[in-house]
Amino acid sequence: MIRRSFLSLYLLWAAGAVAQTAGAPAKHIKKPAAAIRITVVLDTPAAGARVRVAPLRYNKLFACSFTMDDGLVSAARVAFPFFSGGKTAPPFKDQWGLDQGADGKDYPGLYYTDGCGNIRPFTAAVAVNAHSLREDSTPAAGNLSWNQLERITQAGWEVLNHGFTHATGKDVKAAGEVANNTSAVRRHLHLRMRHFVIPGGKDDALSLPLYTAAAFDQGLQVVHSSHYRDYWIDPPERSNWNRLRIGRYFLHSNMNGDMFREIAQHLETGKHYWLNTFTHSVGNDNLWNISFRFGDFAAFFNRLAATYGKDGADNMWFAPPGAVHDYEALRRAVKPGIRTNGDTLLITFNVHNLPVPGKNRALTFVVQAGAGIRKVHAENCTVESYGGKENLINITW
């Protein structure tokens, strides 16, 4: 009896252990990521239809990114309402006696579309030195407060690492500058920065290799500097995508180049380029002669929107550099499976081990079918929009 009882208890325990393993996974066991399934119903039979991942989000011909360095307050008080729609700050003198305001007027915002008739506002990035950011904003603040930075990032803007104190020179403690800035932004905003902007100044060429090595060693994926290769990036032609060195075009009130001629020339090639630009302040004064006065800033971006935004050719994706970089990383990684049945098209791909975390998990599919899309249903992702002239499906997950 004793042996039978022991055997019975053992069998019950073993059965329970098997049931626990075969049933719902234990909390410490991570579930594998589910596959994304997109079911597309066409107006005609789907046989012969083809699907491809668009070269750029919303199938645009080129992407444009704009970053404001040094965490200056005009990013939130002028550029943000001008791009997104709202009232810019009136003229005011900051802590250095310079005017980082605009004209205090309401602006409608600048937009492109998602290719399906829905407007998207221009969104940009701010490269910050956390040591200079304020806990609370004051009327004469020259730098952003953490609250201002949080507000614009919640609206789709991005924060780039620019070093904790903006130190330059051959003796810069690059590893600490990168790490301390990362820690401060994570502590205040709960954001993980993955782009580093080399701090400028007369000695930035000396600190360039030190900062680049430190940024990549700490897991950042892109280093921006005017000393690096072309600010016109041809994504498919670039190797080492997650250790990317990219150039940037300096937009300021004393510039001589014709950016619109450059854009037209690059569009003529038929390639899908990414244009990377930056400035410092965009207020009424040209801060330290390295900024974009508000009048010049407004004229440039109004023309850019009128030519390539929703009221123009609508062939530009105006987005922060992180969004563009992440889209290309996903485009390289995702190999969708395609099946057809009658008028239905099934697109599937696995999201396990895809390279992009966070908010930039997004793709655009182009359905080449000679017929319109009647309906789309998706599992494990959100369909932002679909249809349009090019039969696009825009998803996020």
Side-chain angles (χ1 to χ4, degrees):
M1 287 292 293
I2 294 173
R3 288 180 179 176
R4 286 184 180 178
S5 298
F6 178 81
L7 180 60
S8 299
L9 287 170
Y10 174 81
L11 291 174
L12 286 170
W13 173 85
V18 170
Q20 183 179 7
T21 303
K27 290 183 179 180
H28 65 277
I29 299 176
K30 189 176 180 180
K31 288 184 179 181
I36 285 178
R37 297 167 55 89
I38 306 167
T39 304
V40 185
V41 181
L42 301 175
D43 288 332
T44 60
R50 295 191 300 162
V51 176
R52 61 183 177 89
V53 179
L56 291 170
R57 185 80 168 131
Y58 307 123
N59 204 31
K60 300 301 184 182
L61 294 186
F62 76 105
C64 182
S65 295
F66 178 57
T67 300
M68 280 158 281
D69 286 1
D70 302 340
L72 297 167
V73 76
S74 61
R77 299 191 65 184
V78 176
F80 178 70
F82 188 81
F83 283 168
S84 298
K87 181 176 288 188
T88 61
F92 73 94
K93 295 294 184 182
D94 65 18
Q95 66 204 62
W96 305 293
L98 300 170
D99 186 355
Q100 284 200 63
D103 55 12
K105 294 181 180 179
D106 277 307
Y107 286 89
L110 302 180
Y111 304 92
Y112 59 93
T113 79
D114 64 355
C116 302
N118 305 297
I119 62 171
R120 298 284 183 264
F122 283 24
T123 49
V126 184
V128 302
N129 318 107
H131 183 266
S132 301
L133 300 183
R134 295 170 172 263
E135 291 299 327
D136 298 298
S137 185
T138 63
N143 290 102
L144 291 162
S145 71
W146 289 107
N147 286 338
Q148 287 171 322
L149 198 55
E150 182 178 31
R151 182 168 66 92
I152 65 177
T153 56
Q154 287 177 344
W157 285 44
E158 289 180 359
V159 183
L160 313 185
N161 194 327
H162 199 34
F164 188 64
T165 67
H166 203 279
T168 62
K170 63 183 178 63
D171 297 321
V172 68
K173 304 296 188 290
E177 285 283 322
V178 176
N180 290 338
N181 213 38
T182 295
S183 297
V185 169
R186 184 176 293 169
R187 185 169 65 252
H188 283 89
L189 301 178
H190 309 292
L191 295 177
R192 177 191 171 196
M193 297 180 292
R194 291 184 293 128
H195 287 232
F196 189 83
V197 176
I198 303 293
K202 65 183 179 66
D203 293 328
D204 62 341
L206 299 176
S207 54
L208 176 73
L210 303 174
Y211 271 124
T212 300
F216 287 147
D217 286 348
Q218 294 181 35
L220 281 78
Q221 296 182 332
V222 184
V223 175
H224 302 243
S225 173
S226 298
H227 291 282
Y228 277 135
R229 191 177 158 185
D230 203 355
Y231 49 83
W232 284 101
I233 299 101
D234 181 1
E237 294 298 316
R238 291 295 184 97
S239 57
N240 297 323
W241 192 250
N242 289 331
R243 294 174 67 90
L244 184 66
R245 298 165 170 86
I246 61 174
R248 34 191 350 228
Y249 183 86
F250 191 6
L251 295 171
H252 58 97
S253 286
N254 301 325
M255 62 186 182
N256 297 316
D258 185 352
M259 176 50 65
F260 290 92
R261 179 175 56 82
E262 286 194 30
I263 294 173
Q265 289 173 342
H266 281 79
L267 287 176
E268 287 174 0
T269 68
K271 294 183 176 181
H272 295 81
Y273 282 98
W274 170 20
L275 169 62
N276 194 34
T277 72
F278 80 105
T279 196
H280 296 88
S281 175
V282 293
N284 290 320
D285 280 341
N286 183 355
L287 266 68
W288 310 300
N289 252 3
I290 54 171
S291 296
F292 220 5
R293 288 191 186 94
F294 175 67
D296 301 327
F297 161 80
F300 179 89
F301 284 104
N302 277 332
R303 181 181 174 188
L304 189 71
T307 308
Y308 303 109
K310 75 175 181 65
D311 295 325
D314 197 23
N315 56 2
M316 174 183 63
W317 177 28
F318 195 94
V324 182
H325 178 264
D326 285 348
Y327 185 89
E328 172 63 12
L330 286 171
R331 189 198 65 79
R332 293 178 179 212
V334 169
K335 309 298 180 188
I338 311 298
R339 289 191 298 170
T340 62
N341 181 20
D343 61 358
T344 301
L345 182 70
L346 179 64
I347 307 168
T348 59
F349 64 95
N350 201 315
V351 297
H352 185 57
N353 286 334
L354 286 182
V356 174
K359 66 179 182 179
N360 287 335
R361 291 174 298 202
L363 283 175
T364 294
F365 293 97
V366 183
V367 179
Q368 298 169 302
I373 297 174
R374 190 160 74 245
K375 186 169 62 174
V376 176
H377 171 74
E379 299 173 35
N380 301 315
C381 72
T382 298
V383 177
E384 277 191 345
S385 57
Y386 65 88
K389 297 177 184 177
E390 300 173 300
N391 269 5
L392 305 184
I393 303 173
N394 299 310
I395 67 165
T396 61
W397 68 95

